[in-house]
């Protein structure tokens, strides 16, 4: 277990360095990743898009979010409950009026935002865009270490048919690795998009 934690820490450190070296081209890569997602069948079929507000070392989904909203797709973004350290998704309409700095200074829905009712989306197609520190081409994912996405996705997949949910890892090309140490609780992505 200790060896696995050390390996994960080393991978996170290496990815952080890789991203720092490419900082000038990250906006272009973000745009190209968004374009790839927008062209995908999974996006076109989805009624619900679960996105995220990017940190400066993550693929920025702003372009995709605005496009999804303009196409009347329901967009949701995550918020961390600091009391019990769990994550939920909330309805999202626009950044100016609905987000504020939250956990780790990530933009999150304001307190008045409406939580997404999982019961109401059971019979709809859902595309979940998942950030991470590193991914394998086969869908393995290494997060930042708190397990927020793994816990949330496990709960969601216990309530919704996997046929209606598509998990898409979102990454820069420098975040793709050959292999990752994975645990039983790690949720595999259906696919990973990067540029």
């Amino acid at each position: 277990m200790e060896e696995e934690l050390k390996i994960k820490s080393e991978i996170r450190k290496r990815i952080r360095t890789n991203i720092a070296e490419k900082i000038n081209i990250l906006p272009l890569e973000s745009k190209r990743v968004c374009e790839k997602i927008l062209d995908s069948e999974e996006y076109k079929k989805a009624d619900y898009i679960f996105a995220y507000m990017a940190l400066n070392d993550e693929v920025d989904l702003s372009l995709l979010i605005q496009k999804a909203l303009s196409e009347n797709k329901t967009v949701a973004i995550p918020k961390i409950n600091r009391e019990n350290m769990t994550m939920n998704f909330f309805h999202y309409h626009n950044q100016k009026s609905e987000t504020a700095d939250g956990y780790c200074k990530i933009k999150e829905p304001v307190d008045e935002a409406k939580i997404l009712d999982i019961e109401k989306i059971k019979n709809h197609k859902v595309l979940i865009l998942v950030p991470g520190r590193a991914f394998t081409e086969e869908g393995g994912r290494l997060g930042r270490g708190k397990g927020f996405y793994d816990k949330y996705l496990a709960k969601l997949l216990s309530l919704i048919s996997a046929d209606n949910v598509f998990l898409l890892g979102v990454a820069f090309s420098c975040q793709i690795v050959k292999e990752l140490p994975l645990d039983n609780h790690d949720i595999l992505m259906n696919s990973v998009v990067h540029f």
Side-chain angles (χ1 to χ4, degrees):
M1 183 67 168
E2 193 172 311
E3 181 65 23
E4 185 177 299
L5 290 174
K6 185 178 175 186
I7 292 168
K8 288 180 177 182
S9 177
E10 288 170 1
I11 293 170
R12 288 184 180 107
K13 184 178 178 183
R14 188 173 76 237
I15 296 297
R16 201 168 33 251
T17 300
N18 291 350
I19 290 173
E21 290 172 355
K22 296 180 73 175
I23 198 75
N24 292 334
I25 63 167
L26 296 184
L28 178 59
E29 281 204 21
S30 287
K31 181 177 185 279
R32 290 180 173 164
V33 169
C34 285
E35 289 169 348
K36 276 185 167 183
I37 298 169
L38 291 168
D39 284 340
S40 72
E41 285 304 307
E42 292 76 26
Y43 171 82
K44 291 173 184 172
K45 292 177 183 174
D47 302 308
Y48 288 82
I49 307 293
F50 286 34
Y52 60 86
M53 296 284 108
L55 292 168
N56 63 1
D57 60 353
E58 295 176 327
V59 173
D60 182 353
L61 297 178
S62 300
L63 172 75
L64 180 141
I65 290 170
Q66 293 311 311
K67 181 74 170 163
L69 290 171
S70 74
E71 294 176 350
N72 294 318
K73 292 181 183 285
T74 300
V75 175
I77 60 171
K79 181 175 184 167
I80 306 301
N81 180 327
R82 294 185 206 194
E83 289 177 20
N84 60 14
M85 295 306 282
T86 59
M87 182 175 79
N88 274 301
F89 277 78
F90 290 75
H91 288 271
Y92 177 79
H93 302 287
N94 69 67
Q95 186 170 354
K96 289 181 182 157
S97 65
E98 294 187 22
T99 61
D101 285 347
Y103 179 77
C104 292
K105 304 240 184 242
I106 299 168
K107 293 287 184 196
E108 292 184 340
V110 294
D111 291 337
E112 301 81 43
K114 185 178 168 191
I115 194 166
L116 194 73
D117 184 350
I118 293 174
E119 287 296 318
K120 291 185 178 176
I121 68 173
K122 278 187 173 182
N123 299 317
H124 295 274
K125 293 289 185 188
V126 180
L127 173 61
I128 304 179
L129 304 173
V130 184
R133 293 312 290 152
F135 293 90
T136 65
E137 292 285 3
E138 296 77 30
R141 174 184 172 271
L142 176 66
R144 291 183 183 260
K146 299 294 185 189
F148 292 125
Y149 271 89
D150 288 319
K151 291 172 194 166
Y152 180 83
L153 294 174
K155 181 178 87 172
L156 182 80
L157 292 171
S158 73
L159 299 170
I160 297 180
S161 166
D163 293 338
N164 286 342
V165 177
F166 194 88
L167 305 177
L168 184 60
V170 180
F172 296 116
S173 57
C174 64
Q175 292 177 276
I176 304 301
V177 297
K178 288 201 181 297
E179 59 184 2
L180 288 169
L182 299 175
D183 299 318
N184 291 337
H185 65 268
D186 289 328
I187 305 286
L188 289 175
M189 303 294 100
N190 295 107
S191 184
V192 177
V193 61
H194 61 88
F195 190 88

